[in-house]
Amino acid sequence: MKPGVLIFYRIMAYVTAVLLILLCAAMVLKYGHFAGLWDEGSSTQQLGTDWTFRIGVAHGWLYMVYLLVAVVATTQLRVPIGRMLLVLLAGTIPFGAFFAERKVTHWHELRLAGKPLTDSSARTAEESPTS
């Protein structure tokens, strides 16, 4: 995989993850009146409503960019379709893109070393005693 693709993927993964966490925080402000944290129609709820809209729109557009970059990155790494789908869905789960970014970077390092993406065969060969 080209280094520029990996760098752009990593940036988009972090941006997507941070925006999703901020969106969750804004939703707490917006819907906190249901938990009795503040009154409905308060300035805190209005702030949450405004920020939920703004962050939600930004996350939605940037998630589309994340999807495109993740498809390019996982395709270049020749990742199985199931793992590719998990990487694509990671941008919809708070903190998920952080874990996916680490995994994709690990897969890239394995590919650079000429190893398969699942190195379980190498582990079992090392762990099993030879007689």
Side-chain angles (χ1 to χ4, degrees), residues 45-114:
Q45 183 191 12
Q46 186 59 39
L47 178 71
T49 301
D50 293 343
W51 281 105
T52 299
F53 176 77
R54 293 175 186 180
I55 296 170
V57 169
H59 173 72
W61 282 103
L62 291 173
Y63 178 65
M64 295 299 132
V65 176
Y66 170 82
L67 287 176
L68 291 172
V69 174
V71 165
V72 170
T74 54
T75 302
Q76 287 184 3
L77 287 172
R78 296 181 305 261
V79 173
I81 192 77
R83 290 183 181 187
M84 178 191 289
L85 291 175
L86 289 175
V87 169
L88 296 177
L89 288 174
T92 64
I93 302 167
F95 299 100
F98 292 126
F99 294 108
E101 180 273 329
R102 292 305 316 147
K103 204 62 164 162
V104 170
T105 302
H106 178 69
W107 293 336
H108 175 68
E109 292 166 355
L110 287 174
R111 287 288 187 206
L112 285 178

Side-chain angles (χ1 to χ4, degrees), residues 26-33 38-54:
M27 289 180 74
V28 168
L29 293 177
K30 181 177 179 178
Y31 296 109
H33 67 279
W38 41 80
D39 295 329
E40 186 173 358
S42 67
S43 61
T44 305
Q45 183 191 12
Q46 186 59 39
L47 178 71
T49 301
D50 293 343
W51 281 105
T52 299
F53 176 77
R54 293 175 186 180

